[in-house]
Amino acid sequence: MGIAAGAFPAAVHAAPPAAPNGLVIPGLAPGNSSLPWNIVVLLTILTLLPALLLAMTPFVRLLVVFHFLRQALGTQNTPTNQTLIGLALFLTYFIMQPVGADVYQAAIVPLQNNQITAMEALDRGAAPVRRFMLKYTRQKDLALFVELTKEPRPRRPEDLSMRVVIPAYILSELKAGFQIGTILFFPFLVIDLVVASITTSVGMMQLPPVVISTPLKILLFVMVDGWNLVVGSLMKSFY
């Protein structure tokens, strides 16, 4: 009995800590703070996910182009905002999937294997995203934010900090989205002008030109398979 009583405290100390419901948590030992830090990093990423989606992916360009297209067609709320956002979201996933795979291999796998810390994982994971953004960022926008931050001029673009690359990338994406949207506007604008001039010349003042031009624009867009052309052109601009 004495031997069993003496061995019992050692067995208690040797066992790993258990969760409140009695489940044993593997890998969580006293003094091991990796799991709490991983949870903090994960919750932070989830909180910033909407901002990261807008700031570091092609989501902004795609959504701007789709809204320009809807305004050019004159269909008001068709397609709905939810439809356009969903389409832009899945196209963004399609474009960013290779970048996400690089981030997973460079940062997530070593972090799960306890080979690096959470901060090192953030640094490693930022490298593939930075390379992607720099590919579509104008030098003029990068130079603007380098000047505003008063940082020394880097030897290569990869040495730029994220506080310079992210806002420069957003400006470049907005410019690209507005350029594409303006080009999409031109054919539909011509239809509006032609219909307006015809209705005015024949004296149809009671009938607004938009009532006639909108079906014509939709018919033209459907005949040329417009969604396929627009989405295909947008996807090819990233490859």
Side-chain angles (χ1 to χ4, degrees):
M1 181 67 69
I3 296 175
F8 180 72
V12 172
H13 289 295
N21 58 1
L23 297 176
V24 176
I25 303 177
L28 181 59
N32 184 8
S33 61
S34 60
L35 184 59
W37 274 110
N38 293 344
I39 295 175
V40 170
V41 172
L42 179 61
L43 293 178
T44 303
I45 293 176
L46 290 177
T47 304
L48 299 176
L49 187 60
L52 296 176
L53 180 65
L54 291 173
M56 304 170 67
T57 67
F59 186 80
V60 171
R61 183 195 299 194
L62 298 173
L63 199 58
V64 167
V65 171
F66 291 152
H67 278 285
F68 266 102
L69 177 61
R70 188 175 65 180
Q71 292 296 323
L73 287 172
T75 54
Q76 301 300 323
N77 294 324
T78 304
T80 62
N81 289 332
Q82 290 83 355
T83 303
L84 296 180
I85 292 174
L87 178 59
L89 186 62
F90 280 100
L91 292 178
T92 301
Y93 168 76
F94 183 85
I95 296 171
M96 296 298 295
Q97 194 275 332
V99 180
D102 293 340
V103 173
Y104 180 80
Q105 293 295 330
I108 304 300
V109 172
L111 181 63
Q112 290 177 341
N113 296 331
N114 294 325
Q115 297 175 353
I116 58 176
T117 63
M119 296 305 298
E120 291 175 342
L122 288 177
D123 292 338
R124 291 191 181 187
V129 180
R130 183 188 292 110
R131 287 196 299 268
F132 173 82
M133 291 190 294
L134 287 174
K135 191 184 300 183
Y136 305 103
T137 305
R138 300 187 306 165
Q139 293 185 357
K140 181 179 181 181
D141 295 329
L142 290 173
L144 170 64
F145 286 98
V146 169
E147 179 181 357
L148 292 176
T149 56
K150 302 184 185 306
E151 292 185 358
R153 191 175 185 87
R155 296 182 178 179
R156 54 178 185 169
E158 289 76 11
D159 296 333
L160 289 169
S161 62
M162 295 297 281
R163 67 188 290 243
V164 172
V165 176
I166 292 177
Y169 173 75
I170 297 176
L171 289 185
S172 300
E173 287 295 285
L174 286 174
K175 178 179 176 59
F178 272 76
Q179 286 176 334
I180 299 173
T182 303
I183 295 174
L184 288 175
F185 243 106
F186 281 134
F188 303 110
L189 180 60
V190 171
I191 295 177
D192 287 331
L193 292 176
V194 171
V195 172
S197 61
I198 292 176
T199 55
T200 304
S201 61
V202 298
M204 298 175 60
M205 301 300 181
Q206 297 82 5
L207 187 62
V210 67
V211 177
I212 303 175
S213 63
T214 299
L216 293 177
K217 291 187 291 186
I218 296 175
L219 179 62
L220 174 64
F221 189 72
V222 172
M223 288 179 60
V224 300
D225 199 4
W227 284 111
N228 184 278
L229 292 176
V230 171
V231 172
S233 300
L234 285 172
M235 292 295 99
K236 292 176 183 177
S237 66
F238 291 99
Y239 289 95

